[in-house]
């Protein structure tokens, strides 16, 4: 398992993610398209970076604002195998700031991104060192930097649905840790760890607020349907 230890010398003078303002966000960003992977504002996303173009993206990010644009491609996994194609992208992604990293002896990276704010792609501006770049706009998502807590929601119902979903998918979880999470942390963590399909992940990212995200998350968990009853004993 990769460790995510910060290089203290490099990160010593990096402002905390919580201190970032709109003025700190550049108009153009390097993109990391990755299907089925969701980064939300205030979320933590570990990444294993080994493709040369994305190693270059991490190197360039470390040399500047340490920001990377995580975004999903629009096509399916079968298309992703064709490296000759350039996939179209969803219009909304999430900026992640490198808050810890390990550079390996072979030049690859293990990094952790902390979600900053969502962005909308205005237009792509071509390739730089092999990775895609785009002009972005974050003005529609300024609330991500100072997000208002969610309205009260039915937490027991949400967790019951989550337990059922995990049982149906054959997944395990540290339920004691989940139950101890605050509401806002829960609403960032659960969408990121649940293995929803890419389109459903995108619906969670597109949700306008934490309150909207609760509704989408509850709906997606309930779409798994009721559990089948076992045979009579």
């Amino acid at each position: 398992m990769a460790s995510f230890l910060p290089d203290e010398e490099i990160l010593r003078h990096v402002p905390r993610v919580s201190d970032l303002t709109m003025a700190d966000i550049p108009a153009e960003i390097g993109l990391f398209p990755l299907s089925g992977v969701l980064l939300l504002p205030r979320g933590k996303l570990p990444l294993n970076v080994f493709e040369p173009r994305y190693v270059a993206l991490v190197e360039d990010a470390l040399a500047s604002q340490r920001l990377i644009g995580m975004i999903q491609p629009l096509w399916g996994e079968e298309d992703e195998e064709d490296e000759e194609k350039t996939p179209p992208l969803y219009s909304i992604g999430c900026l992640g700031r490198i808050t810890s990293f390990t550079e390996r002896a072979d030049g690859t990276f293990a990094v952790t991104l902390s979600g900053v704010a969502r962005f909308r792609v205005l237009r792509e501006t071509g390739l730089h060192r092999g990775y895609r770049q785009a002009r972005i706009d974050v003005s529609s998502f300024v609330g991500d930097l100072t997000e208002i807590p969610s309205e009260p929601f039915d937490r027991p119902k949400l967790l019951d649905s989550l337990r059922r979903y995990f049982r149906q998918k054959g997944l395990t979880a540290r339920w004691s840790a989940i139950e101890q999470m605050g509401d806002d942390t829960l609403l960032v963590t659960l969408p990121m760890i649940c293995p929803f399909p890419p389109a459903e992940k995108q619906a969670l990212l597109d949700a306008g607020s934490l309150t909207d995200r609760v509704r989408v998350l509850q709906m997606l968990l309930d779409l798994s349907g009721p559990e089948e009853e076992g045979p009579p004993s």
Side-chain angles (χ1 to χ4, degrees):
M1 179 178 296
S3 62
F4 304 111
L5 299 176
D7 185 314
E8 297 295 342
E9 187 62 31
I10 292 179
L11 294 179
R12 183 173 299 164
H13 302 296
V14 176
R16 295 175 300 175
V17 171
S18 60
D19 293 335
L20 290 173
T21 66
M22 295 287 286
D24 297 312
I25 297 175
E28 187 170 312
I29 198 76
L31 301 177
F32 197 143
L34 200 55
S35 183
V37 174
L38 178 63
L39 175 63
L40 290 170
R42 295 176 173 77
K44 300 285 187 182
L45 179 65
L47 288 174
N48 181 34
V49 184
F50 55 88
E51 281 192 59
R53 55 183 167 173
Y54 298 127
V55 168
L57 172 59
V58 168
E59 290 173 345
D60 290 348
L62 288 171
S64 56
Q65 297 98 333
R66 298 175 174 83
L67 292 172
I68 289 174
M70 295 302 301
I71 195 164
Q72 290 197 104
L74 269 166
W75 62 22
E77 293 181 0
E78 65 278 1
D79 298 309
E80 293 173 15
E81 299 299 323
D82 189 344
E83 296 183 356
E84 298 300 317
K85 294 182 179 179
T86 299
L89 303 172
Y90 279 99
S91 61
I92 295 175
C94 185
L95 287 170
R97 183 149 192 159
I98 299 173
T99 47
S100 67
F101 72 96
T102 298
E103 183 176 8
R104 305 187 184 96
D106 61 1
T108 62
F109 287 93
V111 306
T112 296
L113 297 182
S114 295
V116 176
R118 290 169 291 173
F119 64 86
R120 189 179 303 276
V121 173
L122 299 177
R123 62 181 176 85
E124 291 196 48
T125 56
L127 300 178
H128 176 70
R129 298 182 68 194
Y131 63 83
R132 297 163 73 172
Q133 292 184 300
R135 298 279 296 184
I136 63 169
D137 176 40
V138 295
S139 61
S140 299
F141 307 108
V142 63
D144 289 349
L145 295 175
T146 55
E147 180 142 9
I148 299 171
S150 66
E151 297 174 4
F153 64 96
D154 192 339
R155 181 182 174 115
K157 178 182 178 182
L158 184 68
L159 291 180
D160 284 346
S161 297
L162 181 71
R163 288 179 183 273
R164 182 179 65 248
Y165 176 84
F166 270 44
R167 284 194 295 266
Q168 291 180 339
K169 297 294 184 182
L171 304 172
T172 59
R174 292 178 56 197
W175 293 108
S176 61
I178 289 175
E179 289 166 354
Q180 291 171 13
M181 289 179 183
D183 287 350
D184 294 346
T185 301
L186 190 73
L187 298 181
V188 170
T189 303
L190 295 188
M192 290 181 60
I193 66 172
C194 288
F196 297 126
E200 296 180 359
K201 292 272 192 180
Q202 191 67 32
L204 288 160
L205 181 65
D206 292 349
S209 66
L210 282 177
T211 299
D212 294 334
R213 193 183 302 158
V214 173
R215 299 189 187 104
V216 175
L217 180 58
Q218 183 70 62
M219 179 188 68
L220 294 178
L221 292 173
D222 289 344
L223 281 175
S224 60
E227 290 185 277
E228 296 183 2
E229 295 184 2
S233 55

